[in-house]
């Protein structure tokens, strides 16, 4: 298999993780959503590049027609799950979390240090979660999911703003709770306002160390 670019390696890793977690490879649309591509064409271009390099085989006319070839899967497994997890800095207004504009860098990180394995790191800004031990500059390990349970620390999007708070829902009313008395809870009526859960915290990295969120 020819050497992959960092982005191609990320997509191959995503395909392998999706297959392991869901029993099937992702669709083109799921790849577009996961990486914040502007169109399905961008995802298709990367898939065709992976096919040319001998990493995958594409089956025409099938929505999940992506087959990872044995050599590519073996190389990815030997490399471990630590490669190239994206670090999100300030999220570009109106853009998906994993859009290129939002990615500061890529870190080598063993995803198995956390459970479940994170999909991205988010650089924390502000002091609103201070008493939960989440401080400015920390890297929050986040598992992508559109749903959350009461008490979980989530990454939530309200309009063009992204915030880290503890989730609490009763019926159609949601409160995003800070862990600092200097900050007020954010109240959302889901019948009138849109709230998007981008993911939930699964761990924290500070000064080269790891802890569970």
């Amino acid at each position: 298999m020819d050497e992959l670019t960092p982005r191609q390696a990320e997509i191959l890793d995503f395909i392998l993780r999706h297959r392991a977690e869901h029993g099937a490879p992702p669709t083109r649309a799921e790849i577009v959503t996961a990486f914040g591509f502007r169109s399905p064409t961008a995802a298709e271009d990367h898939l065709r590049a992976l096919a040319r390099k001998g990493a995958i085989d594409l089956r025409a006319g099938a929505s999940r027609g992506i087959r990872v070839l044995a050599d590519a899967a073996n190389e990815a497994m030997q490399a471990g799950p630590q490669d190239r997890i994206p670090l999100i800095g300030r999220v570009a207004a109106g853009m998906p979390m994993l859009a290129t504009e939002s990615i500061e860098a890529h870190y080598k990180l063993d995803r198995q240090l956390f459970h479940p394995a994170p999909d991205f790191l988010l650089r924390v800004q502000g002091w609103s979660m201070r008493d939960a031990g989440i401080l400015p500059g920390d890297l929050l390990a986040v598992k992508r999911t559109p749903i959350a349970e009461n008490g979980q620390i989530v990454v939530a999007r309200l309009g063009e703003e992204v915030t880290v708070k503890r989730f609490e829902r009763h019926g159609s009313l949601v409160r995003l709770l800070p862990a600092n008395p200097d900050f007020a809870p954010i109240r959302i009526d889901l019948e009138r306002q849109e709230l998007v859960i981008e993911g939930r915290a699964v761990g924290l990295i500070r000064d080269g160390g790891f802890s569970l969120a």
Side-chain angles (χ1 to χ4, degrees):
M1 183 180 72
D2 293 342
E3 184 176 355
L4 306 181
T5 67
R7 179 60 102 187
Q8 290 165 0
E10 284 177 3
I11 293 172
L12 178 60
D13 180 61
F14 175 74
I15 294 169
L16 289 168
R17 286 189 292 113
H18 193 284
R19 187 179 67 179
E21 293 176 11
H22 302 283
T27 64
R28 270 68 164 176
E30 287 167 338
I31 295 173
V32 168
T33 299
F35 289 90
F37 294 139
R38 294 180 183 275
S39 73
T41 302
E44 188 67 28
D45 288 345
H46 283 294
L47 291 174
R48 291 189 180 281
L50 286 169
R52 287 195 300 272
K53 291 185 175 183
I56 64 174
D57 181 52
L58 296 176
R59 191 172 61 205
S63 64
R64 298 186 185 274
I66 302 170
R67 183 171 67 91
V68 179
L69 301 180
D71 289 346
N74 289 338
E75 287 187 24
M77 292 299 293
Q78 290 169 7
Q82 71 272 17
D83 286 358
R84 295 169 290 270
I85 184 169
L87 168 63
I88 309 298
R90 186 174 297 277
V91 179
M95 297 298 294
M97 291 293 294
L98 292 176
T100 302
E101 293 87 340
S102 303
I103 297 176
E104 280 189 7
H106 292 85
Y107 275 61
K108 286 190 175 181
L109 175 68
D110 187 346
R111 299 174 195 262
Q112 293 179 344
L113 289 167
F114 306 104
H115 182 76
D119 293 303
F120 63 89
L121 303 174
L122 179 69
R123 187 179 300 281
V124 176
Q125 301 175 17
W127 292 91
S128 68
M129 296 300 288
R130 178 196 65 193
D131 296 344
I134 301 174
L135 307 179
D138 288 351
L139 304 183
L140 194 68
V142 182
K143 174 66 177 179
R144 286 183 66 87
T145 176
I147 58 176
E149 297 179 2
N150 285 350
Q152 292 180 335
I153 295 175
V154 301
V155 177
R157 184 190 295 270
L158 292 166
E160 296 183 350
E161 296 297 322
V162 172
T163 186
V164 177
K165 295 290 186 292
R166 197 174 295 278
F167 181 85
E168 180 183 276
R169 177 176 180 176
H170 300 283
S172 64
L173 300 179
V174 171
R175 292 200 307 163
L176 298 178
L177 305 174
N180 183 334
D182 294 334
F183 293 79
I186 301 172
R187 294 176 171 82
I188 304 104
D189 183 347
L190 298 178
E191 294 182 353
R192 300 181 179 181
Q193 299 166 275
E194 182 181 13
L195 171 68
V196 177
I197 302 299
E198 296 282 2
R200 68 179 179 91
V202 295
L204 190 73
I205 302 173
R206 178 183 301 143
D207 295 333
F210 298 82
S211 63
L212 296 179

